[in-house]
Amino acid sequence: DAGTRAGWTLLALLPGAACLATAGALRLTEGALGGGARAAVTLTGALLACLALRLCLGRGPLRAPEGAGRAGMYACWLLSFAVYGEELIAQVISGGPDGPWQPAPAPLLGLAAAIAPAAWCAHLFTVRARRRLGGSRALDEFGAGVRPLLLGSVALFLCALLPLLHLADLGLGGTGAPVSAAALGVLFFLARLLAAHGLPEPGTVALAAACAVESAAPALVLAARLPGLDPLARPVHALVEAGGTGAVPALACGAAALGLLVHASAALSRASAHTRI
């Protein structure tokens, strides 16, 4: 009913609101607070955002009735890499790491703000799929009708995600080119959508695969410093020269999201995925 939808919509807005309030507080107090105070503000905002995220994932269309397995651990790595990964790769390629990593918090702000659109896209997909299940005369007919719904839901979420990431990046002084963050957002959306339909394992595997690729990139560059192992770093150097340091997470998350989309188009076209939620 409308009250229930309003309830989980409000919860889905809270993580983005917490991140936006933290970013605003840090911007307004820039130069007025010391490093310790700013770290305390950041930590408080992160804790509030995590609490809000836990609340919104426990209700509504993003709730995973059978849990999400180890997906949370991999999601933390991917989010950390979204903030610090590009700077890490840049320093490793230039001969480091030899200094503190400059964070890039814009992806966190954009992804947190996109939780509300993700909840609504998942809700629309679930409602329309169950309506189609009730009106289909055969399983093949149902599957053929659900696949366009899934693609449409992903496209709709991407249309909402890209402007949010762009505005977050511009607001925090970036260039407004959120390719890797967009791939990460789609990966998270598909993984959670599958988990909400009682299928958490494929999303966990896809998240783990993206983590493996992201961790392998700096590891290969470091390993190439050993005598005779120069070729190990060539793929990473070629990728960075072609698309910048953001190409590494973009490739990792984009490939994982594409594979998960292919799997989801088959898994969510089965009637059993819509009868247990």
Side-chain angles (χ1 to χ4, degrees):
D1 54 25
T4 301
R5 290 195 298 271
W8 56 253
T9 299
L10 179 62
L11 290 177
L13 291 170
L14 290 180
C19 290
L20 182 60
T22 303
L26 291 174
R27 177 62 64 89
L28 291 175
T29 57
E30 189 172 0
L33 295 179
R38 290 177 65 83
V41 172
T42 302
L43 180 60
T44 302
L47 291 176
L48 290 175
C50 290
L51 178 60
L53 180 62
R54 185 177 181 86
L55 288 175
C56 76
L57 293 182
R59 289 184 59 189
L62 296 179
R63 184 180 67 88
E66 300 180 10
R70 297 183 300 276
M73 176 179 64
Y74 299 127
C76 289
W77 165 271
L78 293 171
L79 290 173
S80 300
F81 200 90
V83 177
Y84 294 102
E86 294 190 31
E87 179 70 14
L88 170 62
I89 293 174
Q91 289 197 15
V92 169
I93 288 179
S94 62
D98 53 4
W101 303 336
Q102 285 296 115
L108 291 184
L109 177 58
L111 291 172
I115 293 177
W120 269 99
C121 289
H123 171 71
L124 292 175
F125 170 75
T126 301
V127 169
R128 291 184 177 275
R130 298 195 73 172
R131 287 177 181 173
R132 187 169 290 276
L133 178 62
S136 297
R137 294 170 293 180
L139 294 179
D140 291 342
E141 179 185 349
F142 169 73
V146 166
R147 293 186 191 96
L149 290 178
L150 175 63
L151 296 177
S153 299
V154 174
L156 182 63
F157 171 68
L158 188 59
C159 289
L161 174 64
L162 287 173
L164 292 173
L165 290 173
H166 183 78
L167 291 175
D169 199 52
L170 290 179
L172 295 179
T175 59
V179 178
S180 59
L184 178 58
V186 174
L187 177 60
F188 280 159
F189 175 71
L190 288 170
R192 195 65 191 185
L193 185 63
L194 284 166
H197 287 79
L199 302 168
E201 295 85 2
T204 301
V205 172
L207 294 175
C211 290
V213 174
E214 289 183 347
S215 59
L220 289 174
V221 177
L222 292 174
R225 297 176 184 177
L226 298 175
L229 297 181
D230 294 349
L232 291 178
R234 290 175 185 171
V236 181
H237 284 291
L239 186 61
V240 172
E241 289 176 3
T245 54
V248 173
L251 175 63
C253 297
L258 181 60
L260 195 58
L261 178 61
V262 173
H263 176 82
S265 64
L268 296 179
S269 64
R270 296 195 292 264
S272 59
H274 303 271
T275 57
R276 47 184 161 186
I277 58 175

